[in-house]
Amino acid sequence: MPDISEQTLLSLYKTMFKIRYYEETLGKIYYEGKSPIFDISAGPIPGELHLSSGQESSAVGVCVHLKPEDAVVGTHRIHHFAIAKGVDLKAMTAEIFGKRTGLSAGKGGHMHLFDPKVNFSCSGIVGASFPQAVGVGIAARQQGADYVAVAVGGEGAANQGTFHESLNLAALWKLPVIFVIEDNSWAVSVPKDKTTSLSRNSERAKAYGIPGVYVDGKDVVAVYEVAKEAVERARNGEGPSLIEVKVYRLRGHFEGDAQVYRPKEDLEQAMANDPVKYLENQILSRNLQSEQELKELQNDIIAEIDEIIEYARQSEYPEPQEALENVFIGGD
Amino acid sequence: MARKLPMYMAIAEAISQEMERDSSVFVMGEDIGAYGGIFGATTGLLDKFGPDRVKDTPISESAFIGGALGAASKGMRPIVELMFVDFFGVTMDQIYNHIAKVTYMSNGNVKVPVVIMTAIGAGYSDAAQHSQTLYGIFAHVPGLKVVVPSNSYDAKGLMISAIRDDNPVMYFFHKGLQGLGWMPSPEEAAVEVPEEPYTIPFGKAKIVREGNDVSVVTASRMVYEALWAAEELEKDGVNVEVIDLRTLVPLDKETILNSVAKTGRLLVVDEDYLSYGLTGEIIALVAENALSSLKAPPRRIAVPDVPLPYSRPLEKFVLPSKEKIVKLVKEMM
């Protein structure tokens, strides 16, 4: 076992379990009001919903090394990073429910979460995160500060021009940026081997003269180790790194996706590599916690999340005319 | 033989028939193969034509949309899909500096028979980056034809015309008209569609309801909001004429001007943003050519220059609707 304390390991587990329970709970609530005929516009959570179950380790293994002043710039599937980065979960959940108590008072929604207090942002446009993280790196340089930026994208996003332009610029200017590619094998319905000329995007780091590592996200500790080095490197002014984490998409691209394109074996393989279960087994087999202790720990988290969900449900919707506010700072 | 088809099936059928007729037609885009297009517009094409002619692409829009231009220059007739119009920022240069201009810059020596199709529209809480109706941007740039069908009959005929056109055509289908089952869509959009191929000429608007009191000029899903408003207004004795533009470029100026000459009142309804767009364009057309026939100032309803908000009450507040049309028409009378 690598150099990681029991306390840290348990803290990683808590965040991973919290993310999993949160996502699976939203995954149930999403279908409320959408039956018997599925209607994407109906229910307490309308619109698209992209859940991160199976991808927890990349967020948790990376964000544990970050401080509030470090930035995470994310994608459409990002609740795991938001939680691991310490985004105000009550306000984030209210936002997903379209309520006035939300991060953006209902204007943003699940793909557009902004919490400047912890320097978290995301976007519904694939590949948009990379240049913005580079910009955070530029600001750190201009300000002589030691904060770093994490850019998150899927393996599909690594075929966007923005990815390559950003890697080059970050390398050229030795910016404090950690590029995290989550390889969940699927760009919506298209498998990685049908979209990407190399089997590993981490290899692409060579083209820009920076370190590139591929790591199996089944084991959060492996991600933890790799990310620790990359964050230290960035913070010490040694420049950017690229980490590709193999993650496992346990649900559809979005909720309501029947996944007809996905072989059964692929989903089974993903489930066999579930990082939350893997860590749970580690904890139990090494007697870090008894089953009873683990259960209690889980129950505390479940109660916390349930309370947050209830808060979001009970919150008021914004007044319709609030739609016209905040197009510009200071009004028009 | 005609049968009722939802719009997504009419589009897929049009593409399929043109692919059978012409081996230079092929399709590229994200999730257009096994998935059949996120909004169903390429349903069944992969099974029928195989992966050489129905190509799933990486998320590399500059490459495959710029690629469509290159393929067209060698005699192919590519159809490319990019899921949502909101995503076009990532490939805009290939479209507005190249696909739109190559014919002109080459003095007509290079043909660009490319169809770019994408989804528009709001109304289901998909928020600011997945709900826009940005056809105005493309209509603004010279060199792109802009097609906006409102029902399955028009969708098929306009798609076949688009594929056969030697110019680049932007083809915008509204998510809320496709008839996908999982997305609300007016029943009226799924109409009878002949099985055999047919074309609908560009630049011919359709008067979908005749009336003498006010001309409502609109397109795409707003056609139905206008029709529903017209039914309600009829109870108050107001006869509304509703014009479905069907194509924005070329624009059927004649039909608009004739209608306004008859009614003397103009309301333009648009799901795109209000300023610098379709509504201003139509009103300018009428002001320049038929000002003296207007009995009341022309009016417009569109998204009031804010991004599309996520939360349901906020989104409803900014979208044009039957209720807003009824209210404004009453003010105009």
Side-chain angles (χ1 to χ4, degrees):
Chain A
M1 203 68 187
D3 180 27
I4 181 166
S5 71
E6 290 181 10
Q7 201 188 352
T8 306
L9 202 61
L10 270 181
S11 128
L12 295 178
Y13 176 75
K14 279 186 197 168
T15 314
M16 285 177 62
F17 180 82
K18 185 193 251 190
I19 294 166
R20 176 64 56 86
Y21 180 73
Y22 185 81
E23 295 291 69
E24 294 297 312
T25 304
L26 288 193
K28 285 192 195 103
I29 295 169
Y30 184 73
Y31 293 93
E32 288 177 17
K34 292 188 178 71
S35 62
I37 297 163
F38 181 82
D39 173 354
I40 191 171
S41 70
I45 305 174
E48 288 175 66
L49 185 64
H50 313 80
L51 297 174
S52 64
S53 294
Q55 306 193 178
E56 296 86 354
S57 60
S58 65
V60 174
V62 170
C63 291
V64 69
H65 303 294
L66 301 182
K67 308 178 200 170
E69 59 268 33
D70 297 327
V72 168
V73 188
T75 68
H76 56 285
R77 189 186 314 285
I78 207 64
H79 296 171
H80 53 331
F81 269 90
I83 291 171
K85 186 67 174 67
V87 168
D88 179 339
L89 197 51
K90 273 173 88 171
M92 169 172 142
T93 310
E95 185 62 29
I96 293 167
F97 279 71
K99 300 301 179 69
R100 186 196 261 144
T101 50
L103 286 168
S104 307
K107 291 204 180 74
H110 121 96
M111 283 188 275
H112 316 108
L113 301 166
F114 296 86
D115 191 351
K117 284 195 201 97
V118 294
N119 291 284
F120 178 88
S121 62
C122 61
S123 167
I125 306 297
V126 169
S129 59
F130 309 119
Q132 296 169 25
V134 165
V136 172
I138 293 171
R141 272 302 172 83
Q142 301 296 106
Q143 295 166 352
D146 78 340
Y147 59 79
V148 304
V150 173
V152 187
E155 91 288 343
N159 294 314
Q160 273 288 9
T162 50
F163 176 66
H164 297 274
E165 293 175 29
S166 300
L167 282 175
N168 181 59
L169 193 57
L172 181 70
W173 289 349
K174 269 194 147 186
L175 299 174
V177 183
I178 300 98
F179 294 88
V180 177
I181 294 296
E182 295 188 286
D183 171 17
N184 73 8
S185 307
W186 295 95
V188 189
S189 72
V190 187
K192 190 184 191 184
D193 64 357
K194 294 278 193 291
T195 64
T196 309
S197 58
L198 296 169
S199 61
R200 294 182 171 187
N201 285 299
S202 50
E203 294 290 302
R204 290 170 154 177
K206 285 181 193 158
Y208 304 99
I210 62 169
V213 189
Y214 192 88
V215 59
D216 189 347
K218 176 169 94 169
D219 181 7
V220 68
V221 178
V223 182
Y224 174 96
E225 297 279 304
V226 167
K228 186 164 183 276
E229 198 178 326
V231 172
E232 276 171 9
R233 192 180 133 78
R235 223 183 278 292
N236 294 336
E238 294 164 58
S241 309
L242 171 59
I243 302 171
E244 184 168 29
V245 187
K246 175 73 199 104
V247 294
Y248 302 92
R249 200 182 86 188
L250 297 179
R251 306 182 69 101
H253 166 70
F254 38 42
E255 291 307 299
D257 176 4
Q259 302 197 72
V260 287
Y261 51 81
R262 188 176 188 182
K264 205 171 94 222
E265 303 75 49
D266 185 83
L267 184 59
E268 283 168 2
Q269 201 224 342
M271 286 164 75
N273 287 286
D274 182 333
V276 178
K277 282 203 184 125
Y278 182 83
L279 183 55
E280 225 165 78
N281 289 337
Q282 294 277 309
I283 289 168
L284 292 172
S285 65
R286 291 170 58 198
N287 291 319
L288 301 181
Q289 294 263 284
S290 69
E291 278 195 36
Q292 180 58 29
E293 285 167 329
L294 204 60
K295 192 83 209 155
E296 280 166 22
L297 182 153
Q298 291 174 349
N299 284 340
D300 287 348
I301 294 167
I302 289 169
E304 182 196 340
I305 298 296
D306 286 350
E307 195 179 312
I308 286 170
I309 300 274
E310 194 51 28
Y311 168 80
R313 277 192 195 271
Q314 297 303 327
S315 289
E316 299 287 329
Y317 280 105
E319 290 299 322
Q321 63 272 19
E322 289 172 31
L324 304 179
E325 296 170 1
N326 287 316
V327 177
F328 295 105
I329 301 291
D332 41 295
Chain B
M1 262 281 287
R3 66 265 112 97
K4 272 194 181 178
L5 284 186
M7 213 164 91
Y8 82 91
M9 287 177 72
I11 295 170
E13 184 171 278
I15 297 171
S16 177
Q17 288 174 345
E18 285 304 288
M19 288 179 77
E20 277 169 15
R21 195 183 69 93
D22 182 348
S23 62
S24 67
V25 178
F26 71 107
V27 190
M28 292 191 282
E30 292 154 12
D31 305 289
I32 56 116
Y35 203 109
I38 296 297
F39 304 105
T42 56
T43 301
L45 297 181
L46 178 66
D47 287 346
K48 203 161 178 186
F49 299 102
D52 284 345
R53 293 183 73 194
V54 182
K55 293 176 184 294
D56 265 328
T57 60
I59 308 175
S60 305
E61 294 86 359
S62 286
F64 75 80
I65 292 182
L69 171 57
S73 74
K74 296 296 282 180
M76 300 301 287
R77 305 186 85 86
I79 301 166
V80 290
E81 178 177 293
L82 178 47
M83 231 179 273
F84 293 79
V85 71
D86 313 70
F87 296 177
F88 274 74
V90 298
T91 179
M92 208 55 184
D93 180 67
Q94 290 298 326
I95 299 171
Y96 84 131
N97 269 328
H98 298 90
I99 289 173
K101 293 175 181 166
V102 161
T103 296
Y104 183 80
M105 294 190 297
S106 68
N107 199 29
N109 291 320
V110 180
K111 284 196 301 191
V112 186
V114 171
V115 179
I116 301 174
M117 67 171 172
T118 189
I120 54 172
Y124 64 105
S125 290
D126 223 4
Q129 296 176 338
H130 289 71
S131 300
Q132 297 170 97
T133 302
L134 290 173
Y135 43 50
I137 286 179
F138 299 93
H140 180 67
V141 176
L144 299 170
K145 297 190 178 180
V146 175
V147 177
V148 282
S150 69
N151 61 70
S152 51
Y153 178 86
D154 287 356
K156 179 172 174 179
L158 290 167
M159 176 53 85
I160 291 177
S161 298
I163 295 168
R164 295 183 189 178
D165 201 297
D166 280 339
N167 295 286
V169 177
M170 302 287 304
Y171 185 101
F172 296 95
F173 55 80
H174 196 294
K175 288 163 262 174
L177 292 177
Q178 289 286 79
L180 291 161
W182 50 272
M183 174 92 66
S185 180
E187 276 177 33
E188 301 98 303
V191 295
E192 296 220 328
V193 178
E195 276 178 31
E196 59 277 9
Y198 59 95
T199 57
I200 293 176
F202 292 170
K204 295 284 175 207
K206 191 171 167 188
I207 298 172
V208 289
R209 181 188 170 103
E210 290 195 29
N212 300 316
D213 295 324
V214 56
S215 304
V216 176
V217 177
T218 187
S220 191
R221 212 194 78 83
M222 286 304 132
V223 168
Y224 300 96
E225 299 290 342
L227 285 170
W228 299 329
E231 278 172 33
E232 193 161 320
L233 286 158
E234 192 178 21
K235 294 174 201 158
D236 296 326
V238 180
N239 291 313
V240 179
E241 180 142 302
V242 180
I243 295 172
D244 176 357
L245 290 171
R246 302 204 287 191
T247 64
L248 306 186
V249 180
L251 178 66
D252 185 354
K253 298 175 181 174
E254 195 184 344
T255 297
I256 298 166
L257 292 171
N258 287 344
S259 176
V260 173
K262 177 174 71 173
T263 64
R265 291 182 185 87
L266 171 66
L267 168 63
V268 191
V269 182
D270 185 16
E271 199 180 321
D272 203 346
Y273 301 120
L274 181 71
S275 296
Y276 304 99
L278 176 69
T279 56
E281 186 61 34
I282 303 294
I283 289 174
L285 169 79
V286 169
E288 284 177 334
N289 296 283
L291 195 58
S292 59
S293 62
L294 287 174
K295 298 174 196 160
R299 301 297 300 267
R300 50 182 172 156
I301 304 175
V303 175
D305 296 337
V306 299
L308 273 304
Y310 164 69
S311 185
R312 201 175 281 126
L314 302 180
E315 187 186 33
K316 187 162 183 276
F317 184 77
V318 303
L319 288 178
S321 63
K322 175 189 119 178
E323 291 74 24
K324 289 182 184 176
I325 297 168
V326 168
K327 188 163 174 279
L328 196 52
V329 167
K330 282 181 179 170
E331 282 175 33
M332 292 169 72
M333 296 311 294

